[in-house]
Amino acid sequence: MESHRAVLFDGQGAQEVGMGKDLCEIDPDLRRLYEEAEGVLQMPLCSLSFTGPAEALTETVAAQPALFVHGFALFSLLQKRLPAFRFSAVGGLSLGELTAHAVAGTFSFHDGLRLVRTRAAAIQKAAEESSGSMVALIGADRSAAEEIAREAQVDVANYNAPGQIVLSGTLQGLSLVPELAAKRNVRKVVPLDVSGAFHSRLMRKAAEELKTFLQDFPLEIPRIPVYSNYLGRPVREREEIRRSLADQVTGSVRWEDCIRSMLDCHIHQFVEIGPRPILVGLLRRIDSGAQGIALTTVQDLQSHEHELAH
């Protein structure tokens, strides 16, 4: 029987001190997975994930690998406990798209770690070299957000859900946004606590570095359709995957488009995997009738076992 279910992975910002500790305590295979990751990444991933401090875990070079490993490990436990678990689409928000590719078999866990390490280092470097940030527009439609971005000379970073669009760019450009938003009756402009202007033109150097790295990076055709943030639809061909992963760094995250595209394919259940339930909240804003299940811990997995087994 065909499954009408998608698995979604969290992006940067969802990291939480303590993430993954329960996984390593319950399953020696997952403990080994974390140890393998530490060896490849050459960083104290376990202590950063399990005990923090939060400031260190929030840094891009730590947060992205920590989320990738946590998502992959929790998904592995789900498959181990529920061998009958089926899904017909996979996606992830920004960094989460890499986790989605890893579980779809586009690349191995080991190669995924190398890719995440390269991406995170390039993005952190680009953020440090440019003084930028991000703001969320609450209550803006797409055309208003795009007009504001054009006038302020910033970029639309995320089309998250109806009424939730994120802009990214220079501090000077973002300082113009509240006034431009007020003119268009946008309900609220919320500054985001981020270390850089992600998904904007200020990330160009990071995108170029990632593009170079991806040229010789081993890729397979994914076993399950992976939805691209940059394109808002599934990607299947190797070259398209290479391009979309590099373009995603400077391009808009079309999350709402990804979810609507999945809904058009009759997907009705969405399983979010990550340390904090963020994507199920966006899902409700996109389609209040869609079913969202958030798995953040082993306990969540146990309490939703019955729903997920069917």
Side-chain angles (χ1 to χ4, degrees):
M1 192 180 79
E2 193 190 344
S3 161
H4 297 293
R5 176 191 282 146
V7 178
L8 309 175
F9 292 94
D10 285 352
Q12 195 170 343
Q15 67 276 355
E16 192 109 301
V17 173
M19 59 192 275
K21 190 167 185 283
D22 58 340
L23 298 171
C24 291
E25 285 170 350
I26 201 166
D27 193 312
D29 289 340
L30 299 183
R31 180 78 212 186
R32 281 192 287 274
L33 195 77
Y34 265 83
E35 285 164 3
E36 181 194 342
E38 284 204 325
V40 175
L41 297 165
Q42 295 290 290
M43 62 185 278
L45 182 75
C46 294
S47 65
L48 278 170
S49 297
F50 305 163
T51 58
E55 305 75 52
L57 182 60
T58 301
E59 285 206 15
T60 297
V61 287
Q64 291 193 10
L67 285 160
F68 176 81
V69 176
H70 178 266
F72 191 90
L74 186 49
F75 177 79
S76 301
L77 185 65
L78 165 61
Q79 286 205 305
K80 193 174 182 178
R81 292 212 163 177
L82 299 171
F85 179 78
R86 296 284 175 270
F87 58 106
S88 53
V90 63
L93 187 77
S94 192
L95 172 276
E97 190 177 326
L98 272 64
T99 323
H101 273 294
V103 306
T106 310
F107 42 75
S108 68
F109 174 67
H110 187 281
D111 283 337
L113 289 168
R114 294 193 301 115
L115 178 56
V116 172
R117 183 182 61 191
T118 302
R119 182 185 189 271
I123 287 174
Q124 181 152 322
K125 189 168 170 242
E128 286 166 358
E129 288 174 359
S130 60
S131 59
S133 194
M134 303 170 84
V135 299
L137 300 178
I138 308 299
D141 63 25
R142 286 190 178 207
S143 61
E146 285 160 7
E147 280 174 23
I148 292 165
R150 198 163 45 248
E151 287 180 35
Q153 294 190 311
V154 297
D155 298 300
V156 178
N158 297 62
Y159 296 94
N160 280 336
Q164 195 188 110
I165 295 174
V166 177
L167 303 185
S168 181
T170 62
L171 298 176
Q172 187 184 353
L174 293 177
S175 70
L176 307 173
V177 169
E179 192 183 335
L180 294 168
K183 282 181 190 169
R184 290 170 177 84
N185 299 317
V186 173
R187 197 159 78 241
K188 204 156 57 163
V189 177
V190 182
L192 301 183
D193 184 17
V194 292
S195 59
F198 305 129
H199 301 291
S200 79
R201 66 194 85 175
L202 298 183
M203 293 288 118
R204 200 171 285 132
K205 273 190 186 174
E208 284 166 11
E209 202 174 314
L210 196 59
K211 191 177 181 180
T212 304
F213 180 83
L214 283 162
Q215 275 170 6
D216 303 315
F217 187 73
L219 293 178
E220 300 296 332
I221 303 295
R223 293 187 298 268
I224 303 279
V226 180
Y227 281 68
S228 156
N229 287 205
Y230 182 71
L231 298 168
R233 60 168 176 78
V235 279
R236 297 303 291 262
E237 301 305 318
R238 289 183 182 89
E239 287 317 305
E240 191 176 47
I241 292 167
R242 283 184 219 281
R243 277 199 310 276
S244 64
L245 287 176
D247 288 341
Q248 191 228 71
V249 174
T250 49
S252 305
V253 170
R254 300 182 179 278
W255 187 249
E256 184 184 342
D257 294 352
C258 285
I259 297 297
R260 290 200 187 281
S261 182
M262 290 181 193
L263 289 164
D264 288 344
C265 292
H266 310 293
I267 287 167
H268 56 76
Q269 188 187 76
F270 296 80
V271 180
E272 174 182 2
I273 294 182
R276 277 202 290 148
I278 292 171
L279 304 179
V280 289
L282 297 179
L283 176 66
R284 283 187 205 107
R285 296 179 72 132
I286 296 167
D287 184 335
S288 57
Q291 185 194 6
I293 296 172
L295 302 181
T296 63
T297 59
V298 173
Q299 198 176 350
D300 286 337
L301 183 52
Q302 288 164 342
S303 58
H304 288 289
E305 246 175 62
H306 183 70
E307 289 163 272
L308 296 170
H310 300 289

